[in-house]
Amino acid sequence: MSDERHDDTAALVLFSGGQDSTTCLAWALTRFRRVETLGFSYGQRHVIELDCRAALLDGLASLKPDWAGRLGDHHTLDVPTLGELSETALTRDVAIAIGADGLPNTFVPGRNLVFLTFAAALAYRRGIGHIVAGMCETDYSGYPDCRNDTLQALAKALVLGMARPFELHTPLMWRDKAQTWALAHELGGEPLVDLIREHSHTCYLGERGERHPWGYGCGSCPACVLRARGWEGYLAGSTGSTPASP
Ligand code: ZN
């Protein structure tokens, strides 16, 4: 099934060091023979998330020997242009708020489109057939580039535009945060849940001073609130679908 140019048993995971992308990485490690990761530096205020990756990768490798054997190269790409273009609360020191268009000002226009396009370009060069990303339409804060329709359309464009049969996987698309914690438990039991709790980073403000039951963060930005609420839902065992408020 695989050749040098297109390995159908290999996956590239968009890995930022957050809860979602770490869970996606574990998901990929259960399914693909070779798994490489890609992170982006785009001027994000929470660039600390990229520093979390090393501990997470070490932790994943020590959880299961077959995961250690499957973990391949790790890549980081600089995309400073996104930060230059964006006047957002993720890339500027401004308060997080809801804009007139109903979107939080943490929205970085085009971010996921750019990320996935670069991911496909890297996958092309590395001969990787599958791309795995943690976008989610359930808890998505209204970000239009997290919608399944957006990503399906982009996946089609990438396959056409690069003439490679990439498959785009978004295992979290229809899961809320409680269900994402539950998926981590399913994939790696308590040790994986503990690893994600301790070492993954979610807080938009880059805070890692205070340790909460669900991990580190400021505790009040939208990302922390979502993570905390998901953790409580997971503990309560209520992993059924609970519509997120927009
Ligand atoms: Zn926070």
Side-chain angles (χ1 to χ4, degrees), residues 6-15 24 27-28 32 34-38 40 112 114-135 151-152 154-155 158-159 162 164-171:
H6 189 82
D7 183 351
D8 202 32
T9 68
L12 179 65
V13 180
L14 266 64
F15 180 49
C24 283
W27 181 90
F32 298 100
R34 172 169 61 106
V35 177
E36 300 192 5
T37 63
L38 170 61
F40 294 95
N112 288 329
V114 170
F115 285 179
L116 285 166
T117 302
F118 277 121
L122 179 64
Y124 183 102
R125 184 166 64 76
R126 306 285 299 167
I128 293 174
H130 298 265
I131 297 167
V132 181
M135 292 80 175
L151 298 174
Q152 291 305 315
L154 179 63
L158 294 172
V159 167
M162 298 195 198
R164 286 284 170 86
F166 298 121
E167 262 188 68
L168 175 62
H169 305 266
T170 51

Side-chain angles (χ1 to χ4, degrees), residues 174-192:
W174 307 114
R175 293 174 204 267
D176 62 22
K177 279 279 188 275
Q179 291 169 318
T180 299
W181 285 113
L183 176 62
H185 190 270
E186 194 182 304
L187 294 166
E190 281 303 316
L192 180 58

Side-chain angles (χ1 to χ4, degrees), residues 39-82:
F40 294 95
S41 176
Y42 59 98
Q44 64 268 54
R45 286 165 75 185
H46 55 304
V47 69
I48 193 169
E49 68 179 359
L50 296 179
D51 299 332
C52 293
R53 290 178 303 170
L56 289 164
L57 289 165
D58 285 350
L60 287 168
S62 59
L63 272 185
K64 300 192 184 196
D66 60 327
W67 287 7
R70 291 171 175 191
L71 273 171
D73 288 3
H74 313 298
H75 311 269
T76 302
L77 292 177
D78 285 322
V79 194
T81 315
L82 262 188

Side-chain angles (χ1 to χ4, degrees), residues 124-217:
Y124 183 102
R125 184 166 64 76
R126 306 285 299 167
I128 293 174
H130 298 265
I131 297 167
V132 181
M135 292 80 175
C136 167
E137 187 164 332
T138 311
D139 280 340
Y140 75 145
S141 306
Y143 295 171
D145 59 344
C146 288
R147 289 187 298 209
N148 194 51
D149 283 353
T150 304
L151 298 174
Q152 291 305 315
L154 179 63
K156 190 173 178 187
L158 294 172
V159 167
L160 286 170
M162 298 195 198
R164 286 284 170 86
F166 298 121
E167 262 188 68
L168 175 62
H169 305 266
T170 51
L172 307 184
M173 183 55 72
W174 307 114
R175 293 174 204 267
D176 62 22
K177 279 279 188 275
Q179 291 169 318
T180 299
W181 285 113
L183 176 62
H185 190 270
E186 194 182 304
L187 294 166
E190 281 303 316
L192 180 58
V193 171
D194 287 346
L195 178 75
I196 292 173
R197 208 150 59 110
E198 195 64 28
H199 292 293
S200 73
H201 183 82
T202 295
C203 177
Y204 279 154
L205 303 182
E207 292 285 338
R208 288 192 72 75
E210 192 177 345
R211 172 68 156 78
H212 307 270
W214 41 267
Y216 292 91

